[in-house]
PDB file of all heavy atoms in Angstrom:
ATOM      1  N   HIS A   1      18.620 -17.058   3.742  1.00  0.00           N
ATOM      2  CA  HIS A   1      18.067 -15.770   3.331  1.00  0.00           C
ATOM      3  C   HIS A   1      17.450 -15.919   1.948  1.00  0.00           C
ATOM      4  O   HIS A   1      17.742 -16.877   1.221  1.00  0.00           O
ATOM      5  CB  HIS A   1      19.180 -14.710   3.281  1.00  0.00           C
ATOM      6  CG  HIS A   1      18.686 -13.293   3.375  1.00  0.00           C
ATOM      7  ND1 HIS A   1      18.178 -12.745   4.530  1.00  0.00           N
ATOM      8  CD2 HIS A   1      18.617 -12.304   2.442  1.00  0.00           C
ATOM      9  CE1 HIS A   1      17.837 -11.485   4.321  1.00  0.00           C
ATOM     10  NE2 HIS A   1      18.088 -11.196   3.049  1.00  0.00           N
ATOM     11  N   PHE A   2      16.584 -14.985   1.591  1.00  0.00           N
ATOM     12  CA  PHE A   2      16.046 -14.886   0.236  1.00  0.00           C
ATOM     13  C   PHE A   2      16.478 -13.554  -0.362  1.00  0.00           C
ATOM     14  O   PHE A   2      16.474 -12.519   0.324  1.00  0.00           O
ATOM     15  CB  PHE A   2      14.515 -14.950   0.229  1.00  0.00           C
ATOM     16  CG  PHE A   2      13.948 -16.300   0.544  1.00  0.00           C
ATOM     17  CD1 PHE A   2      13.548 -16.615   1.838  1.00  0.00           C
ATOM     18  CD2 PHE A   2      13.811 -17.265  -0.437  1.00  0.00           C
ATOM     19  CE1 PHE A   2      13.026 -17.857   2.142  1.00  0.00           C
ATOM     20  CE2 PHE A   2      13.288 -18.515  -0.147  1.00  0.00           C
ATOM     21  CZ  PHE A   2      12.898 -18.811   1.153  1.00  0.00           C
ATOM     22  N   VAL A   3      16.818 -13.584  -1.643  1.00  0.00           N
ATOM     23  CA  VAL A   3      17.105 -12.363  -2.387  1.00  0.00           C
ATOM     24  C   VAL A   3      16.087 -12.257  -3.515  1.00  0.00           C
ATOM     25  O   VAL A   3      15.994 -13.148  -4.360  1.00  0.00           O
ATOM     26  CB  VAL A   3      18.540 -12.370  -2.959  1.00  0.00           C
ATOM     27  CG1 VAL A   3      18.783 -11.110  -3.795  1.00  0.00           C
ATOM     28  CG2 VAL A   3      19.562 -12.474  -1.833  1.00  0.00           C
ATOM     29  N   ALA A   4      15.307 -11.193  -3.492  1.00  0.00           N
ATOM     30  CA  ALA A   4      14.331 -10.938  -4.553  1.00  0.00           C
ATOM     31  C   ALA A   4      15.014 -10.119  -5.645  1.00  0.00           C
ATOM     32  O   ALA A   4      15.435  -8.984  -5.404  1.00  0.00           O
ATOM     33  CB  ALA A   4      13.134 -10.172  -3.999  1.00  0.00           C
ATOM     34  N   ALA A   5      15.146 -10.714  -6.821  1.00  0.00           N
ATOM     35  CA  ALA A   5      15.830 -10.062  -7.935  1.00  0.00           C
ATOM     36  C   ALA A   5      14.800  -9.594  -8.949  1.00  0.00           C
ATOM     37  O   ALA A   5      14.037 -10.407  -9.471  1.00  0.00           O
ATOM     38  CB  ALA A   5      16.811 -11.039  -8.583  1.00  0.00           C
ATOM     39  N   THR A   6      14.768  -8.300  -9.227  1.00  0.00           N
ATOM     40  CA  THR A   6      13.808  -7.778 -10.195  1.00  0.00           C
ATOM     41  C   THR A   6      14.520  -6.971 -11.273  1.00  0.00           C
ATOM     42  O   THR A   6      15.677  -6.585 -11.136  1.00  0.00           O
ATOM     43  CB  THR A   6      12.745  -6.872  -9.528  1.00  0.00           C
ATOM     44  OG1 THR A   6      13.329  -5.609  -9.197  1.00  0.00           O
ATOM     45  CG2 THR A   6      12.156  -7.516  -8.275  1.00  0.00           C
ATOM     46  N   ASN A   7      13.774  -6.725 -12.341  1.00  0.00           N
ATOM     47  CA  ASN A   7      14.229  -5.787 -13.364  1.00  0.00           C
ATOM     48  C   ASN A   7      13.780  -4.379 -12.949  1.00  0.00           C
ATOM     49  O   ASN A   7      13.648  -4.103 -11.753  1.00  0.00           O
ATOM     50  CB  ASN A   7      13.709  -6.218 -14.742  1.00  0.00           C
ATOM     51  CG  ASN A   7      12.192  -6.404 -14.764  1.00  0.00           C
ATOM     52  OD1 ASN A   7      11.453  -5.749 -14.031  1.00  0.00           O
ATOM     53  ND2 ASN A   7      11.727  -7.316 -15.598  1.00  0.00           N
ATOM     54  N   ALA A   8      13.502  -3.518 -13.903  1.00  0.00           N
ATOM     55  CA  ALA A   8      13.102  -2.145 -13.574  1.00  0.00           C
ATOM     56  C   ALA A   8      11.789  -2.075 -12.800  1.00  0.00           C
ATOM     57  O   ALA A   8      11.491  -1.054 -12.163  1.00  0.00           O
ATOM     58  CB  ALA A   8      12.988  -1.322 -14.864  1.00  0.00           C
ATOM     59  N   ASN A   9      11.026  -3.149 -12.814  1.00  0.00           N
ATOM     60  CA  ASN A   9       9.769  -3.211 -12.051  1.00  0.00           C
ATOM     61  C   ASN A   9      10.090  -3.620 -10.609  1.00  0.00           C
ATOM     62  O   ASN A   9       9.931  -4.764 -10.216  1.00  0.00           O
ATOM     63  CB  ASN A   9       8.814  -4.189 -12.728  1.00  0.00           C
ATOM     64  CG  ASN A   9       8.456  -3.744 -14.129  1.00  0.00           C
ATOM     65  OD1 ASN A   9       7.642  -2.852 -14.321  1.00  0.00           O
ATOM     66  ND2 ASN A   9       9.094  -4.343 -15.136  1.00  0.00           N
ATOM     67  N   ASP A  10      10.552  -2.636  -9.840  1.00  0.00           N
ATOM     68  CA  ASP A  10      11.191  -2.897  -8.544  1.00  0.00           C
ATOM     69  C   ASP A  10      10.337  -2.467  -7.353  1.00  0.00           C
ATOM     70  O   ASP A  10      10.868  -1.994  -6.345  1.00  0.00           O
ATOM     71  CB  ASP A  10      12.545  -2.203  -8.484  1.00  0.00           C
ATOM     72  CG  ASP A  10      12.434  -0.678  -8.614  1.00  0.00           C
ATOM     73  OD1 ASP A  10      11.342  -0.176  -8.952  1.00  0.00           O
ATOM     74  OD2 ASP A  10      13.445   0.009  -8.367  1.00  0.00           O
ATOM     75  N   VAL A  11       9.023  -2.671  -7.438  1.00  0.00           N
ATOM     76  CA  VAL A  11       8.128  -2.244  -6.372  1.00  0.00           C
ATOM     77  C   VAL A  11       8.493  -2.888  -5.039  1.00  0.00           C
ATOM     78  O   VAL A  11       8.548  -2.209  -3.999  1.00  0.00           O
ATOM     79  CB  VAL A  11       6.663  -2.567  -6.746  1.00  0.00           C
ATOM     80  CG1 VAL A  11       5.737  -2.373  -5.553  1.00  0.00           C
ATOM     81  CG2 VAL A  11       6.208  -1.692  -7.908  1.00  0.00           C
ATOM     82  N   VAL A  12       8.768  -4.186  -5.033  1.00  0.00           N
ATOM     83  CA  VAL A  12       9.068  -4.874  -3.772  1.00  0.00           C
ATOM     84  C   VAL A  12      10.462  -4.517  -3.249  1.00  0.00           C
ATOM     85  O   VAL A  12      10.608  -4.238  -2.046  1.00  0.00           O
ATOM     86  CB  VAL A  12       8.859  -6.394  -3.907  1.00  0.00           C
ATOM     87  CG1 VAL A  12       9.368  -7.117  -2.666  1.00  0.00           C
ATOM     88  CG2 VAL A  12       7.377  -6.694  -4.115  1.00  0.00           C
ATOM     89  N   PRO A  13      11.518  -4.501  -4.069  1.00  0.00           N
ATOM     90  CA  PRO A  13      12.805  -4.018  -3.545  1.00  0.00           C
ATOM     91  C   PRO A  13      12.715  -2.609  -2.946  1.00  0.00           C
ATOM     92  O   PRO A  13      13.344  -2.336  -1.917  1.00  0.00           O
ATOM     93  CB  PRO A  13      13.722  -4.050  -4.776  1.00  0.00           C
ATOM     94  CG  PRO A  13      13.199  -5.180  -5.588  1.00  0.00           C
ATOM     95  CD  PRO A  13      11.698  -5.083  -5.431  1.00  0.00           C
ATOM     96  N   GLN A  14      11.925  -1.745  -3.556  1.00  0.00           N
ATOM     97  CA  GLN A  14      11.757  -0.404  -2.996  1.00  0.00           C
ATOM     98  C   GLN A  14      11.046  -0.456  -1.653  1.00  0.00           C
ATOM     99  O   GLN A  14      11.392   0.272  -0.719  1.00  0.00           O
ATOM    100  CB  GLN A  14      10.993   0.493  -3.983  1.00  0.00           C
ATOM    101  CG  GLN A  14      11.783   0.895  -5.205  1.00  0.00           C
ATOM    102  CD  GLN A  14      13.040   1.682  -4.849  1.00  0.00           C
ATOM    103  OE1 GLN A  14      13.066   2.489  -3.932  1.00  0.00           O
ATOM    104  NE2 GLN A  14      14.116   1.413  -5.583  1.00  0.00           N
ATOM    105  N   TYR A  15      10.045  -1.333  -1.539  1.00  0.00           N
ATOM    106  CA  TYR A  15       9.346  -1.498  -0.256  1.00  0.00           C
ATOM    107  C   TYR A  15      10.312  -2.001   0.815  1.00  0.00           C
ATOM    108  O   TYR A  15      10.304  -1.528   1.961  1.00  0.00           O
ATOM    109  CB  TYR A  15       8.185  -2.475  -0.407  1.00  0.00           C
ATOM    110  CG  TYR A  15       7.621  -2.931   0.928  1.00  0.00           C
ATOM    111  CD1 TYR A  15       6.764  -2.103   1.658  1.00  0.00           C
ATOM    112  CD2 TYR A  15       7.964  -4.171   1.465  1.00  0.00           C
ATOM    113  CE1 TYR A  15       6.267  -2.498   2.895  1.00  0.00           C
ATOM    114  CE2 TYR A  15       7.471  -4.582   2.700  1.00  0.00           C
ATOM    115  CZ  TYR A  15       6.626  -3.744   3.405  1.00  0.00           C
ATOM    116  OH  TYR A  15       6.143  -4.139   4.627  1.00  0.00           O
ATOM    117  N   LEU A  16      11.153  -2.969   0.461  1.00  0.00           N
ATOM    118  CA  LEU A  16      12.084  -3.530   1.431  1.00  0.00           C
ATOM    119  C   LEU A  16      13.077  -2.481   1.921  1.00  0.00           C
ATOM    120  O   LEU A  16      13.566  -2.554   3.051  1.00  0.00           O
ATOM    121  CB  LEU A  16      12.817  -4.721   0.819  1.00  0.00           C
ATOM    122  CG  LEU A  16      11.944  -5.959   0.558  1.00  0.00           C
ATOM    123  CD1 LEU A  16      12.691  -6.967  -0.315  1.00  0.00           C
ATOM    124  CD2 LEU A  16      11.508  -6.606   1.868  1.00  0.00           C
ATOM    125  N   LYS A  17      13.372  -1.486   1.077  1.00  0.00           N
ATOM    126  CA  LYS A  17      14.286  -0.416   1.480  1.00  0.00           C
ATOM    127  C   LYS A  17      13.591   0.655   2.310  1.00  0.00           C
ATOM    128  O   LYS A  17      14.174   1.203   3.252  1.00  0.00           O
ATOM    129  CB  LYS A  17      14.904   0.229   0.232  1.00  0.00           C
ATOM    130  CG  LYS A  17      15.868  -0.663  -0.518  1.00  0.00           C
ATOM    131  CD  LYS A  17      16.323  -0.013  -1.816  1.00  0.00           C
ATOM    132  CE  LYS A  17      17.218  -0.960  -2.618  1.00  0.00           C
ATOM    133  NZ  LYS A  17      17.551  -0.406  -3.952  1.00  0.00           N
ATOM    134  N   SER A  18      12.331   0.970   1.960  1.00  0.00           N
ATOM    135  CA  SER A  18      11.675   2.144   2.553  1.00  0.00           C
ATOM    136  C   SER A  18      10.511   1.849   3.482  1.00  0.00           C
ATOM    137  O   SER A  18      10.129   2.699   4.293  1.00  0.00           O
ATOM    138  CB  SER A  18      11.172   3.054   1.426  1.00  0.00           C
ATOM    139  OG  SER A  18      10.091   2.424   0.733  1.00  0.00           O
ATOM    140  N   GLY A  19       9.910   0.654   3.333  1.00  0.00           N
ATOM    141  CA  GLY A  19       8.694   0.356   4.083  1.00  0.00           C
ATOM    142  C   GLY A  19       7.447   0.926   3.448  1.00  0.00           C
ATOM    143  O   GLY A  19       6.348   0.808   3.996  1.00  0.00           O
ATOM    144  N   ASP A  20       7.581   1.523   2.263  1.00  0.00           N
ATOM    145  CA  ASP A  20       6.459   2.152   1.566  1.00  0.00           C
ATOM    146  C   ASP A  20       6.134   1.329   0.318  1.00  0.00           C
ATOM    147  O   ASP A  20       6.942   1.258  -0.608  1.00  0.00           O
ATOM    148  CB  ASP A  20       6.839   3.589   1.178  1.00  0.00           C
ATOM    149  CG  ASP A  20       5.668   4.351   0.582  1.00  0.00           C
ATOM    150  OD1 ASP A  20       4.505   3.977   0.852  1.00  0.00           O
ATOM    151  OD2 ASP A  20       5.917   5.333  -0.143  1.00  0.00           O
ATOM    152  N   TYR A  21       4.958   0.692   0.310  1.00  0.00           N
ATOM    153  CA  TYR A  21       4.561  -0.155  -0.816  1.00  0.00           C
ATOM    154  C   TYR A  21       3.749   0.671  -1.796  1.00  0.00           C
ATOM    155  O   TYR A  21       2.648   1.122  -1.484  1.00  0.00           O
ATOM    156  CB  TYR A  21       3.749  -1.348  -0.328  1.00  0.00           C
ATOM    157  CG  TYR A  21       3.334  -2.298  -1.430  1.00  0.00           C
ATOM    158  CD1 TYR A  21       4.286  -2.980  -2.175  1.00  0.00           C
ATOM    159  CD2 TYR A  21       1.992  -2.513  -1.724  1.00  0.00           C
ATOM    160  CE1 TYR A  21       3.922  -3.844  -3.186  1.00  0.00           C
ATOM    161  CE2 TYR A  21       1.612  -3.388  -2.733  1.00  0.00           C
ATOM    162  CZ  TYR A  21       2.587  -4.047  -3.466  1.00  0.00           C
ATOM    163  OH  TYR A  21       2.202  -4.900  -4.465  1.00  0.00           O
ATOM    164  N   GLN A  22       4.297   0.889  -2.989  1.00  0.00           N
ATOM    165  CA  GLN A  22       3.671   1.748  -3.990  1.00  0.00           C
ATOM    166  C   GLN A  22       3.615   1.047  -5.349  1.00  0.00           C
ATOM    167  O   GLN A  22       4.504   1.215  -6.184  1.00  0.00           O
ATOM    168  CB  GLN A  22       4.454   3.068  -4.114  1.00  0.00           C
ATOM    169  CG  GLN A  22       4.386   3.972  -2.907  1.00  0.00           C
ATOM    170  CD  GLN A  22       2.992   4.537  -2.704  1.00  0.00           C
ATOM    171  OE1 GLN A  22       2.203   4.654  -3.643  1.00  0.00           O
ATOM    172  NE2 GLN A  22       2.670   4.896  -1.473  1.00  0.00           N
ATOM    173  N   PRO A  23       2.575   0.221  -5.582  1.00  0.00           N
ATOM    174  CA  PRO A  23       2.424  -0.379  -6.913  1.00  0.00           C
ATOM    175  C   PRO A  23       2.325   0.705  -7.983  1.00  0.00           C
ATOM    176  O   PRO A  23       1.820   1.808  -7.719  1.00  0.00           O
ATOM    177  CB  PRO A  23       1.120  -1.166  -6.799  1.00  0.00           C
ATOM    178  CG  PRO A  23       0.915  -1.367  -5.343  1.00  0.00           C
ATOM    179  CD  PRO A  23       1.484  -0.165  -4.673  1.00  0.00           C
ATOM    180  N   ARG A  24       2.785   0.379  -9.175  1.00  0.00           N
ATOM    181  CA  ARG A  24       2.746   1.352 -10.267  1.00  0.00           C
ATOM    182  C   ARG A  24       2.669   0.601 -11.584  1.00  0.00           C
ATOM    183  O   ARG A  24       2.923  -0.608 -11.622  1.00  0.00           O
ATOM    184  CB  ARG A  24       3.977   2.254 -10.223  1.00  0.00           C
ATOM    185  CG  ARG A  24       5.299   1.517 -10.396  1.00  0.00           C
ATOM    186  CD  ARG A  24       6.470   2.493 -10.412  1.00  0.00           C
ATOM    187  NE  ARG A  24       7.717   1.815 -10.728  1.00  0.00           N
ATOM    188  CZ  ARG A  24       8.538   1.318  -9.825  1.00  0.00           C
ATOM    189  NH1 ARG A  24       8.250   1.401  -8.536  1.00  0.00           N
ATOM    190  NH2 ARG A  24       9.666   0.727 -10.207  1.00  0.00           N
TER     191      ARG A  24
END
């Protein structure tokens, strides 16, 4: 498995949870 570890810039972890990709 891969674990993507981010700081507060969590665009990809949020996508993996919701399916909604929202760059900011």
Side-chain angles (χ1 to χ4, degrees):
H1 201 71
F2 289 96
V3 177
T6 75
N7 54 30
N9 298 283
D10 61 349
V11 169
V12 172
Q14 288 300 323
Y15 167 78
L16 291 168
K17 291 174 184 174
S18 69
D20 186 23
Y21 182 63
Q22 292 292 335
R24 62 177 186 268

